[in-house]
Amino acid sequence: MSTKRGRGPTQQTVQLLCARAAGRCEFEGCGITLYEEILTRKSIRNSVVAHIVAASPDGPRGDSQRSYELSQSIDNLMLLCPTHHTLIDTQEEEYPEVRLLSMKKEHEDCVERLCLHLQSKPSEMLSLASPIKGQSKVTLDQRKQSQALLPEHYAASLAGPIFAPESNKEYHSKEYWHDVDQQLEAAYRNLVESSLRWNPTQHFSIFPLAPIPLVVKLGYLLGDKSTWNIYQFHREFNSWCWQNVEQTNQFTIHQQTFRSGSSVALILSLTADISLERIKRVSDVDSVITIRAKRFGVDCIRSTKDLAAFWHCYQKACDQIKKTFPDAEEILVFPAIPTSAAFEVGRRYMSGVYPRLKLFDDDNDFFETLTIGGES
């Protein structure tokens, strides 16, 4: 077989290859920097421009015709460290053309994606993970969370703080809710307030998987003390990314008054419709304000615009309660809502302006949990 080689790549082609590879080895799992020494950080040239199909027919993966046709093509070139250049050429059967092309594409696609987000800002991922109904453990995949941040933000650290309040007390008991409430407040002081003292402009991305009252409390604690984005887990897609851009749902307010008086309940019927009979079994209130989604379900909030529409409606309901029931000292809150909406309930609550919120949770029937604002 002929040993004649095809022409080598031009300097412009080599420069373009280095740019596409971001100056790093394109071999899978390597990614070593090829322009500086790892320990001393001295500038070096430690790269090899390797041919996938060899430039000569009798070389690794060579071909009698394609070796000449592809010898100058950037699509046939990989930027490699010397170790992996030797490896692919001495173990040709282990590293056929199709495998090397896959490595090259994956590496260069990754560089392209990252470069699209060079103007992104750091955000600290803050997770709230607490057993659902006090029993079902939850797990969080921070890789999926970090994907949800793009393109506006990127994860400030590989593993952000995780609030994980739990108790061995009975879920319906006051002791249980006292325990998890105290743990949540302590975690907030230790992990968020301390961080904000050092970096007052710190941005947080919130990822809650926890009972609704705890998510409301987290929103209340964060309030306007920092800038943040809230996310919710979409089980159907196994993703924290918002599934729509535009508003997909609508929310309305309804009021029912049974007699004169200042005791009032706020029903949040978003994921499911909460019947009045269920509320009456817990408290014989004088009036009920209901926020109802046009479309019920776990996917009732699919976008940030859906979420904004909800909290605008929620604030309007709170203003309505304040105006209509000036003597009310508390609002009994019965939620059937996703976690993003729960966070906003706490986030948008204004202590000293609205009556305190007495939060209920649903476990076969509604029961009292936490109180937000005023004296607990």
Side-chain angles (χ1 to χ4, degrees):
M1 185 177 290
S2 171
T3 59
K4 181 181 178 182
R5 291 179 60 86
R7 298 175 63 183
T10 65
Q11 183 178 1
Q12 182 179 1
T13 299
V14 172
Q15 290 174 340
L16 181 57
L17 175 67
C18 291
R20 289 185 179 181
R24 293 175 178 271
C25 177
E26 295 189 285
F27 189 88
E28 61 184 1
C30 182
I32 189 173
T33 300
L34 301 176
Y35 53 83
E36 68 177 8
E37 206 280 324
I38 296 177
L39 296 178
T40 65
R41 298 298 184 186
K42 290 182 178 179
S43 296
I44 59 172
R45 181 180 176 181
N46 195 35
S47 61
V48 179
V49 176
H51 285 84
I52 295 174
V53 174
S56 61
D58 58 351
R61 297 164 296 277
D63 181 86
S64 59
Q65 182 175 347
R66 297 173 68 236
S67 287
Y68 302 117
E69 293 176 349
L70 298 175
S71 64
Q72 290 187 300
S73 172
I74 192 170
D75 295 330
N76 186 50
L77 301 175
M78 292 181 72
L79 192 69
L80 297 174
C81 65
T83 298
H84 288 120
H85 177 233
T86 300
L87 181 66
I88 69 168
D89 281 359
T90 56
Q91 299 185 27
E92 182 179 348
E93 291 185 0
E94 184 71 19
Y95 298 102
E97 178 183 356
V98 64
R99 184 176 181 185
L100 295 182
L101 287 171
S102 177
M103 288 186 195
K104 173 183 173 68
K105 183 178 188 308
E106 183 175 349
H107 181 95
E108 294 178 10
D109 284 353
C110 181
V111 170
E112 178 68 17
R113 288 194 302 271
L114 292 174
C115 287
L116 288 174
H117 306 305
L118 287 177
Q119 301 304 314
S120 301
K121 297 179 180 179
S123 180
E124 189 67 77
M125 297 187 298
L126 193 161
S127 303
L128 173 61
S130 185
I132 305 300
K133 300 188 186 303
Q135 298 180 354
S136 302
K137 297 284 187 180
V138 299
T139 57
L140 298 173
D141 186 339
Q142 293 198 322
R143 291 173 300 176
K144 291 184 182 298
Q145 293 173 341
S146 64
Q147 291 170 3
L149 303 184
L150 300 171
E152 183 180 0
H153 293 94
Y154 64 88
S157 55
L158 295 177
I162 299 177
F163 296 177
E166 58 180 295
S167 173
N168 58 9
K169 304 295 194 302
E170 200 273 323
Y171 185 64
H172 290 221
S173 69
K174 292 183 178 179
E175 291 79 12
Y176 180 94
W177 291 96
H178 177 269
D179 283 356
V180 294
D181 187 33
Q182 292 297 304
Q183 292 173 41
L184 180 58
E185 289 190 358
Y188 172 78
R189 290 192 301 269
N190 294 334
L191 297 175
V192 176
E193 286 189 343
S194 60
S195 175
L196 291 175
R197 281 195 294 270
W198 288 101
N199 182 9
T201 62
Q202 175 69 62
H203 184 279
F204 290 95
S205 292
I206 315 301
F207 297 91
L209 273 181
I212 292 302
L214 279 176
V215 182
V216 175
K217 181 61 178 283
L218 179 60
Y220 174 69
L221 290 172
L222 284 169
D224 292 323
K225 303 177 185 69
S226 63
T227 55
W228 47 262
N229 287 345
I230 178 68
Y231 297 87
Q232 72 181 36
F233 188 64
H234 303 271
R235 296 186 184 279
E236 179 182 357
F237 303 97
N238 191 28
S239 172
W240 288 93
C241 298
W242 290 104
Q243 298 305 306
N244 288 84
V245 176
E246 300 301 326
Q247 183 175 337
T248 68
N249 210 346
Q250 297 177 350
F251 308 92
T252 54
I253 302 173
H254 308 272
Q255 179 174 334
Q256 296 170 279
T257 298
F258 311 109
R259 58 182 173 272
S260 61
S262 59
S263 62
V264 58
L266 176 61
I267 300 177
L268 305 175
S269 291
L270 274 63
T271 58
D273 194 11
I274 301 175
S275 68
L276 185 60
E277 289 73 18
R278 299 189 67 202
I279 306 307
K280 288 289 190 179
R281 290 201 296 266
V282 177
S283 179
D284 188 22
V285 293
D286 302 319
S287 297
V288 170
I289 305 291
T290 301
I291 297 178
R292 180 174 282 109
K294 182 177 181 180
R295 185 191 72 251
F296 295 128
V298 293
D299 65 341
C300 61
I301 293 182
R302 297 176 178 173
S303 68
T304 56
K305 289 186 178 179
D306 285 337
L307 186 58
F310 164 74
W311 68 252
H312 280 297
C313 196
Y314 164 68
Q315 284 196 322
K316 184 178 179 180
C318 288
D319 290 337
Q320 182 174 323
I321 291 172
K322 177 188 175 186
K323 180 179 179 180
T324 309
F325 308 98
D327 297 327
E329 295 182 353
E330 65 182 15
I331 306 172
L332 309 185
V333 181
F334 298 88
I337 55 179
T339 53
S340 60
F343 183 85
E344 290 288 2
V345 168
R347 160 78 172 87
R348 302 289 171 175
Y349 170 75
M350 291 183 283
S351 185
V353 175
Y354 301 136
R356 64 178 176 266
L357 303 182
K358 184 173 288 187
L359 305 175
F360 289 76
D361 196 18
D362 184 13
D363 185 18
N364 297 319
D365 217 339
F366 282 105
F367 63 97
E368 184 180 336
T369 62
L370 303 177
T371 298
I372 304 296
E375 297 295 328
S376 60

